[in-house]
Amino acid sequence: MNKMMLKAGIFALSVVSASVMAKVSPEEAARLGNDLTPVGAVTAGNADGTIPAWTGGYSKQAEGEIPERPADPFADEKPLYTITAANLEEYKDLLSAGQMAMFKKYPDYKMHVYPTHRTAAYPQEVYDVIAKNAVNAEMVAGGNGLSNFDKHIPFPVPQNGLEVIWNHITRYRGGAVQRLVNQFPVLENGDFVPVLLRESLVFPEYLKTGRESADDNVLFYFLQEVLAPARMTGTVLLVHETIDQVKEARRAWLYNAGQRRVRKAPSVAYDGPGTASDGLRTSDGLDMFNGAPDKYNWELVGKKEMLIPYNNYKLMDTNLSYDDIIGPGHMNQDYVRYEKHRVWEVKGTLKDGERHIYATRHMFIDEDTWTASVIDHYDGRGELWRVAEAYNTQFYYHDTPWMAAEALYDLNSGRYILLGLANEESEYMDFDIEPERSDFSTGALRRMGIR
């Protein structure tokens, strides 16, 4: 895409106030599946061919039983180039300020950059829903909720920054999925104690009975159980995430094994401490960003080409141990794959009168999946504090883009937190669960805590 096309507004880059709730026209929506992909990305490649056209993504049928860990379809590829502190200036236009800061803090830091593959693919039913949302979905007053919205991605042709954020929050990650993964709060010297988590994420439409009146205003159900270490075992978190958060805020409950009771957990939101994160992650930092977006003004800066983690199948390799991947200061970058992709650039600035440990969140959101792939976090003094990366991966047997892991690096302390690895576990991802609505009740929470 050339500069003239950018100026013509092909990317819908105008910065629009969150109070403007205009729907896109049928003509704009008709671009989906044509010059825009069914999810709203630009179908064409870039001018120099380093980003290819999207041709349907990467989807594959399993022969026999579906493996929990998809094999790396690009295992034989070699990096096009490697960025180090020595050649960093040459690539600075393709990196965020936070990514640049990692090179400056850690002399051994590097990025292996590979050929770009636009692997994102979704089930046809998701494309159909997105097309319907394009002309129907609206933000409620203030932008803190949605109406006339169905399941996933309300604004495939976004008109402002807040619409882009809602696309990330509501993006498809499989309709009903359970995973067994580890969270690693890593000390400055590289030491860590894994926290084993079993997590379930279910959109109401994928419950056995489908969406019913009991699910009114529920975007998804989330259940997180701590299985190890022993001192944390029995802690269970239940979240009913709401769609219209003006009408009703997030509902959250926590079962604490020590207290042996279920209690409401209003602190599981915003900058409340993340579960077993050793102070390294806020509640709204899980999945890169989640929950109500109401504390920030969201500016749509534009769209740009950027190096982001992509097709990170190596991070699922069971031949690797956690010690292989996790080191002092940062992950072993030999196992991280970067590619050049187009991203939406959105800057969130804390509103006057609001409180949060992050005064600014500078987000870079992949156009093909709506995943926030890099986020730079700034403190109240305007200083760069933390940088987050999502290690995007296509679970191609299930037509589901998600991430192999996510990391949040603290540039001040030298510590970081890594979530999502399961290399040493016998279980991993199950996209075929058939949950009951009662599985996400407070009664279920209590039963899980005492068993």
Side-chain angles (χ1 to χ4, degrees):
M1 292 296 168
N2 58 36
K3 291 182 180 179
M4 185 176 296
M5 295 175 77
L6 282 169
K7 290 179 179 179
I10 192 169
F11 291 138
L13 296 185
S14 57
V15 177
V16 182
S17 168
S19 63
V20 178
M21 304 298 176
K23 300 178 186 177
V24 300
S25 67
E27 290 75 22
E28 289 175 299
R31 297 173 61 195
L32 299 173
N34 294 293
D35 67 301
L36 300 181
T37 72
V39 304
V42 175
T43 303
N46 65 352
D48 64 7
T50 53
I51 298 176
W54 183 81
T55 58
Y58 187 69
S59 180
K60 186 176 181 180
Q61 297 295 316
E63 296 179 2
E65 185 176 351
I66 297 176
E68 289 194 343
R69 295 172 174 83
D72 185 355
F74 313 116
D76 295 333
E77 288 187 347
K78 303 299 181 184
L80 298 172
Y81 54 90
T82 297
I83 304 175
T84 66
N87 64 357
L88 179 60
E89 284 297 307
E90 184 179 348
Y91 301 101
K92 64 181 181 180
D93 291 341
L94 295 173
L95 302 172
S96 78
Q99 289 175 313
M100 294 276 289
M102 291 295 290
F103 287 93
K104 295 173 183 176
K105 185 170 181 66
Y106 302 107
D108 65 332
Y109 195 74
K110 57 190 171 183
M111 286 184 177
H112 297 302
V113 181
Y114 289 79
T116 298
H117 298 281
R118 297 179 68 181
T119 46
Y122 294 83
Q124 183 59 48
E125 65 180 48
V126 175
Y127 294 145
D128 294 341
V129 162
I130 294 170
K132 183 174 66 172
N133 285 335
V135 294
N136 292 328
E138 298 177 284
M139 288 190 287
V140 297
N144 191 31
L146 303 172
S147 64
N148 302 319
F149 161 72
D150 189 5
K151 298 187 191 74
H152 311 292
I153 307 177
F155 308 113
V157 189
Q159 307 298 297
N160 56 66
L162 187 51
E163 291 186 348
V164 174
I165 297 302
W166 272 113
N167 286 345
H168 164 78
I169 292 170
T170 62
R171 75 197 191 282
Y172 181 77
R173 284 150 279 172
V177 59
Q178 185 176 92
R179 65 178 189 169
L180 187 71
V181 295
N182 284 277
Q183 179 171 268
F184 305 87
V186 184
L187 299 179
E188 189 175 10
N189 64 4
D191 288 347
F192 59 86
V193 175
V195 179
L196 185 61
L197 303 170
R198 178 177 286 117
E199 297 181 335
S200 299
L201 174 71
V202 178
F203 290 79
E205 290 78 6
Y206 301 91
L207 294 168
K208 278 187 179 180
T209 56
R211 179 179 284 275
E212 296 181 349
S213 59
D215 310 305
D216 181 43
N217 201 32
V218 174
L219 175 63
F220 60 73
Y221 296 102
F222 176 73
L223 191 63
Q224 182 188 71
E225 180 182 10
V226 179
L227 303 179
R231 60 186 172 85
M232 297 182 185
T233 300
T235 300
V236 190
L237 170 67
L238 172 64
V239 173
H240 295 180
E241 190 71 299
T242 53
I243 299 170
D244 182 342
Q245 298 182 15
V246 172
K247 177 181 176 181
E248 182 181 21
R250 163 187 286 172
R251 305 191 296 263
W253 300 266
L254 190 68
Y255 179 87
N256 184 286
Q259 298 176 350
R260 299 184 68 83
R261 67 184 181 91
V262 175
R263 58 183 176 84
K264 289 187 176 181
S267 64
V268 180
Y270 302 118
D271 58 359
T275 303
S277 65
D278 200 20
L280 284 167
R281 176 174 58 76
T282 58
S283 288
D284 64 6
L286 181 67
D287 193 41
M288 299 294 283
F289 177 79
N290 73 86
D294 62 317
K295 285 187 177 289
Y296 294 86
N297 291 314
W298 300 98
E299 175 193 358
L300 182 54
V301 179
K303 205 171 193 181
K304 62 178 291 184
E305 296 178 4
M306 186 174 176
L307 298 176
I308 59 175
Y310 226 89
N311 293 311
N312 275 275
Y313 295 94
K314 285 183 183 178
L315 292 178
M316 293 187 257
D317 190 344
T318 55
N319 293 314
L320 296 177
S321 69
Y322 302 138
D323 286 326
D324 291 329
I325 298 172
I326 300 170
H330 56 81
M331 294 166 60
N332 185 336
Q333 289 293 100
D334 285 333
Y335 300 123
V336 180
R337 177 187 176 113
Y338 292 85
E339 298 179 1
K340 184 192 289 187
H341 286 261
R342 284 182 294 242
V343 297
W344 295 94
E345 183 178 358
V346 178
K347 189 174 183 180
T349 304
L350 196 63
K351 293 177 180 178
D352 291 342
E354 294 286 0
R355 296 182 62 183
H356 197 289
I357 64 170
Y358 301 137
T360 304
R361 296 170 116 141
H362 201 161
M363 298 194 180
F364 302 90
I365 298 175
D366 173 41
E367 69 167 346
D368 284 326
T369 64
W370 296 106
T371 300
S373 298
V374 175
I375 304 178
D376 294 342
H377 301 79
Y378 293 79
D379 63 21
R381 301 167 298 172
E383 299 292 327
L384 182 62
W385 180 7
R386 290 170 172 170
V387 55
E389 289 189 325
Y391 301 97
N392 295 289
T393 306
Q394 177 71 15
F395 290 82
Y396 48 77
Y397 290 124
H398 303 278
D399 291 339
T400 301
W402 206 355
M403 55 183 82
E406 58 185 300
L408 180 65
Y409 294 103
D410 190 314
L411 296 168
N412 294 336
S413 69
R415 301 162 64 211
Y416 65 101
I417 189 165
L418 178 62
L419 171 64
L421 299 184
N423 308 69
E424 298 179 19
E425 313 307 324
S426 58
E427 302 175 40
Y428 183 33
M429 302 282 281
D430 186 354
F431 289 90
D432 297 314
I433 63 172
E434 296 183 343
E436 302 278 1
R437 183 172 288 94
S438 59
D439 295 338
F440 299 94
S441 66
T442 54
L445 194 69
R446 189 176 294 105
R447 290 191 296 273
M448 291 176 68
I450 63 176
R451 69 187 179 195

